[in-house]
Amino acid sequence: YIKLKDFFESRLFIILSVIAAACFVVFEYEAYGAIILLNLGAVALLCSENIISALTPALLACTFVIKCYDSAELFFPLWWTALFPIAAIVAYLIVFRKKITVGKSFGGIIAVSVAVTLGGLFTISPAEYFSGASMYYVIMLGFGMAAAYLLVRSHINETDRYNVFERYVEIMTVVGLFACFVVFEYYVKNFSETLLLSKLAEIQWSNNISTQIMFSMPFLLWYMQKNLAFFPLLLVNYGALLLTGSRGGWAMGTLELVVCLAAYCILAKKGRAKTAVL
């Protein structure tokens, strides 16, 4: 058990998870890959009292499963593959029960939850609002996210084996770079229809992948304060963001890049870049 715990909390586990995720993308087994990684994350969850150990496979799966648009007929027959992750989460919450605490972000998350829940009010019919697909997004992107925040926050604990903050930054940076890989890999496979013709790819999941990239961009600044050699990786993120073809990603991603760099330049001089930028 101790050896498994050490493995799932190691950088080796992060590296192997990324390699596996890359293989699923290259060989176009995203749906099955998501199932495998989520079950792997469930094992990691049970082998560690710190929920952060399961974040890497879970976030990697979220990054590439967005390519499985309109694939309900593929996932529904495999419903049983979700039983172990669900059981693992329930067992984890029982065995490693923690006191629920509220952080500074909770107010903003609740505001977003209310906005998502009331979105479309008086503009769509009750039948549309209470449809299965609509309720899924309303619940999961609304108060479901608030519940997830409370659970995750209470189960991320300091440890003497590694710095939790640094590990989280590391995971988010890796996930962001993997999102860039997903974009670049798509262009390589469709080279003759995109770059060879000097045109952007028409990516159905462009908004989703650009959001993933935007989530991770600020975390690279933490590495930049240690070594400016990490700056090119920030440009890689931004380049991948542009290649997604998402107009929302272009606008908000460019604004995010400018704000982050400005904040970094100002706060780095005061020695507060690590705590203030992230």
Side-chain angles (χ1 to χ4, degrees), residues 49-70:
E49 74 277 8
N50 206 328
I51 200 171
I52 200 170
S53 300
L55 281 184
T56 303
L59 292 177
L60 291 173
C62 290
T63 302
F64 66 70
V65 79
I66 58 176
K67 299 178 69 176
C68 302
Y69 177 73
D70 197 21

Side-chain angles (χ1 to χ4, degrees), residues 1-10 47:
Y1 176 81
I2 295 177
K3 289 184 178 180
L4 280 175
K5 183 177 182 179
D6 291 339
F7 169 70
F8 286 120
E9 292 182 347
S10 68
C47 292

Side-chain angles (χ1 to χ4, degrees), residues 17-18 20-25 29-38 57-69 178-179 182 205 209 212:
S17 296
V18 171
C23 290
F24 295 138
V25 171
Y29 285 111
E30 289 90 355
Y32 296 104
I35 292 171
I36 292 172
L37 285 182
L38 289 178
L59 292 177
L60 291 173
C62 290
T63 302
F64 66 70
V65 79
I66 58 176
K67 299 178 69 176
C68 302
Y69 177 73
F178 175 75
V182 173
W205 32 274
I209 199 70
Q212 293 278 49

Side-chain angles (χ1 to χ4, degrees), residues 210-211 213-215 217-218 234-235 237-244 246-263:
S210 63
T211 300
I213 294 172
M214 288 174 61
F215 277 152
M217 282 174 61
L234 185 64
L235 298 181
N237 271 30
Y238 184 64
L241 181 68
L242 296 179
L243 287 176
T244 64
S246 169
R247 287 174 292 182
W250 290 351
M252 300 308 298
T254 299
L255 177 61
E256 178 186 32
L257 180 68
V258 172
V259 170
C260 285
L261 287 177

